[in-house]
Amino acid sequence: MRHIISILVMNEFGVLSRVVGLFSGRGFNIESLNVAETTDPSVSRMTIVSGGDEKILEQITKQLNKLVPVIKVYDFTDEAHIERELAMVKVSATADNRAEILRIIDIFRAKVIDVSPASYTVEVTGDEDKLEAMLELLRPFGIKEIVRTGRIAMARSPKTARSARTRTKKKNTGG
């Protein structure tokens, strides 16, 4: 099962390696990882996408909650949420196929962010299915390079990070 975990942490050096160490120590693969500062510069949010069974995830969540720089852990797996991913794609473009590539870009509400005599660089955001569908259509033209962010997620309104379901120490200790 795929899990989307959001972790609020203190914005300090070494925090990322400690969190990632928990996953690798349990043999739990990280499919994607994003870290960025929140509205509070002393706090960062990590979004980790990982696959695995519920028992291992529960162990990791308990261990994450024990780390001092971790403020809160959210699991969006069973919660209503919005998720997005960003990709930049450099695709070969010739005089013969430029119009077709631009039509595909328009269909996916993507945009050209750079042009050269032999290529377009395209920016697209959306869920994984949207990105994969666009890449599948661009592939025959010759994709030169792809850079993807991995997923980020946010609880659906009116929930905020503070009101989303958390797996806290209190809940995990049976108290």
Side-chain angles (χ1 to χ4, degrees):
M1 182 174 194
R2 186 177 272 178
H3 298 276
I4 302 171
I5 302 164
S6 181
I7 307 166
L8 291 178
V9 297
M10 297 305 298
N11 190 6
E12 301 170 349
F13 73 93
V15 174
L16 176 61
S17 66
R18 294 172 71 185
V19 170
V20 170
L22 279 176
F23 280 80
S24 65
R26 299 275 190 276
F28 217 40
N29 188 38
I30 294 175
E31 294 177 18
S32 71
L33 173 100
N34 285 285
V35 183
E37 198 174 274
T38 64
T39 53
D40 178 353
S42 67
V43 177
S44 292
R45 178 190 303 262
M46 293 183 186
T47 305
I48 298 175
V49 178
S50 187
D53 68 35
E54 191 66 32
K55 284 184 178 181
I56 294 173
L57 178 71
E58 190 70 29
Q59 290 175 353
I60 289 173
T61 303
K62 285 179 182 177
Q63 294 298 316
L64 285 171
N65 278 308
K66 290 179 183 175
L67 288 178
V68 172
V70 172
I71 300 167
K72 285 200 171 195
V73 179
Y74 312 97
D75 181 1
F76 288 118
T77 306
D78 298 325
E79 296 289 324
H81 66 279
I82 304 161
E83 58 183 69
R84 292 289 183 267
E85 186 174 340
L86 167 76
M88 292 190 296
V89 183
K90 189 177 292 183
V91 60
S92 296
T94 64
D96 294 337
N97 64 21
R98 283 183 180 268
E100 180 68 18
I101 292 170
L102 290 175
R103 195 161 40 107
I104 292 168
I105 290 167
D106 187 49
I107 289 168
F108 287 92
R109 296 184 189 148
K111 62 182 178 183
V112 175
I113 56 173
D114 191 41
V115 177
S116 77
S119 67
Y120 284 135
T121 301
V122 179
E123 172 188 291
V124 60
T125 58
D127 62 23
E128 185 178 7
D129 291 341
K130 176 183 175 182
L131 271 57
E132 289 299 325
M134 187 175 126
L135 292 174
E136 192 63 34
L137 291 174
L138 291 177
R139 221 168 246 117
F141 299 104
I143 294 176
K144 294 180 171 184
E145 189 174 4
I146 300 172
V147 179
R148 294 175 76 156
T149 60
R151 288 189 227 175
I152 55 172
M154 178 180 281
R156 281 204 175 270
S157 189
K159 288 185 175 180
T160 64
R162 300 203 183 277
S163 65
R165 186 182 93 185
T166 61
R167 294 177 181 224
T168 63
K169 292 177 195 173
K170 184 178 176 184
K171 184 177 183 180
N172 292 332
T173 58

